[in-house]
Amino acid sequence: MPAETADAVIDNVFKDSGNHDRVTFAFQGGEPSLAGLEWYKRFTKKASSYSRNCRYAFQTNGLLLDDAWCDFFLEHNVLAGISIDPGRRFHDRNRFSDAGGGAFTSGTFSACMNSKNLLEKKGAQYNVLCVLTSDLAKEPEKAWRFIINERIRYIQFIPCLDPPPEAQPDPKLYAGNTLRPALFAQFYTRLFPWWIRELEQGNYISIKLFDDIANYFFKGVTTSCGIDGKCRLQYVVESDGSVYPCDFYAFDHYKLGNLAESSPGDLLETPRAREFLISKPELPKICGSCRFLSACNGGCKRMRNIMYTGEGAAICGFRILLEKCLAPLERAVRNIHCHFSNDSSIKARISIP
């Protein structure tokens, strides 16, 4: 992103921000470290001229991280997300570096683990982002062993999606990777007993989906876009300032405008923003008999074929997960948090037969 575009984006963001608002800038890619550390030093200096109440997140493959990057993260309280799949076999199958001559054959697992260890050594905040492929979903015990052995405290599993209709990727890139509802349910229901046993023993490990379910069902807090079936604007900004409502829908049809020219509030009021927020795909018949329908309302529309009902709509992966895990999760939350909410409106999210 050119400096003048970045300046204009920052100016417009703070046009809509009050003195007590907290603004978070999250950088992802591609690979954001390719912009160079000096670019981020300039960006944070400009943003801090408006407010000291800024937060930053930085999603990286870790290949370029060094002491200077880590020192910058510490200075500006940056939350680093590092992309590591759990174990060399899963990671190196899909994450390559250039071996020379245009041949991407060298796996990056060792380099990524070195960067993770450097973040730990420096005391920088970080979490791990892992792509949940169909292969990995069949072996949750390997994911859990990786979490425990590497002492990972925060991890998020991102389901591997089908390509959207607007894209035309090489189908070979998705072969054996795309997740489906049955495998989604299998992975999380097998992972859950190990996770909750650690939780009950006082060892809290953040697996984001479990956190999101607890926050939503038992605290009335939505910490995952789409968990309640509602879209929200994510303000995904490309290098020229173009804005899209969601990183799943960064295509021309969904473009809202340009943040170098308009404020976030202006973009929220555009017809395309309203269309995106209110449009909902028709629910399959299986949803009509589900006691969790009032809670999830069909879930994230981009995840429909991945973690919910799938194309055949014979099962719902999310429903299977909730049926097996919601009750023990509630007991665990009650035992750990004395301030657990008993709000009847929250309990009404579930229709008990």
Side-chain angles (χ1 to χ4, degrees), residues 144 191-199 205 207 210-211 329:
W144 181 249
L191 196 67
F192 182 79
W194 302 319
W195 175 81
I196 204 165
R197 183 173 62 243
E198 292 291 322
L199 179 65
I205 298 171
I207 294 179
F210 296 150
D211 290 353
L329 180 58

Side-chain angles (χ1 to χ4, degrees), residues 211-230:
D211 290 353
D212 292 335
I213 290 172
N215 285 330
Y216 181 54
F217 282 93
F218 308 135
K219 298 181 181 179
V221 178
T222 303
T223 53
S224 175
C225 182
I227 196 171
D228 55 356
K230 298 176 183 177

Side-chain angles (χ1 to χ4, degrees), residues 262-332:
S262 306
S263 72
D266 294 334
L267 297 172
L268 178 62
E269 297 300 322
T270 60
R272 281 188 175 174
R274 291 195 296 270
E275 176 189 357
F276 179 82
L277 292 173
I278 65 175
S279 64
K280 293 183 178 180
E282 183 179 353
L283 294 178
K285 291 183 179 179
I286 190 175
C287 293
S289 61
C290 181
R291 66 191 181 110
F292 304 112
L293 178 59
S294 60
C296 88
N297 297 295
C300 171
K301 58 189 178 185
R302 185 66 178 89
M303 295 286 184
R304 174 67 60 84
N305 292 340
I306 303 302
M307 60 180 281
Y308 295 97
T309 57
E311 294 176 354
I315 65 166
C316 175
F318 193 55
R319 177 178 178 173
I320 293 172
L321 174 62
L322 293 179
E323 287 175 340
K324 292 189 176 183
C325 302
L326 201 58
L329 180 58
E330 179 181 6
R331 289 193 294 270

Side-chain angles (χ1 to χ4, degrees), residues 35-102:
L37 185 54
E38 292 305 315
W39 190 94
Y40 292 96
K41 289 180 177 180
R42 186 185 185 283
F43 188 99
T44 52
K45 182 178 181 180
K46 169 73 174 179
S48 65
S49 70
Y50 279 101
S51 173
R52 295 289 179 180
N53 199 21
C54 290
R55 291 189 176 185
Y56 302 96
F58 192 92
Q59 183 61 44
T60 177
N61 62 24
L63 300 184
L64 295 181
L65 295 191
D66 57 15
D67 287 345
W69 277 106
C70 292
D71 291 342
F72 174 80
F73 291 163
L74 285 167
E75 179 184 356
H76 294 279
N77 198 29
V78 177
L79 173 61
I82 185 165
S83 299
I84 307 175
D85 295 326
R88 186 179 302 276
R89 177 165 67 90
F90 294 112
H91 184 100
D92 284 352
R93 174 182 173 182
N94 297 301
R95 301 184 187 272
F96 317 114
S97 63
D98 189 349

Side-chain angles (χ1 to χ4, degrees), residues 127-146:
N127 56 32
V128 170
L129 185 146
C130 167
V131 177
L132 182 57
T133 62
S134 60
D135 281 348
L136 176 58
K138 297 171 186 175
E139 301 189 63
E141 64 280 355
K142 287 185 170 58
W144 181 249
R145 194 178 306 125
F146 176 78

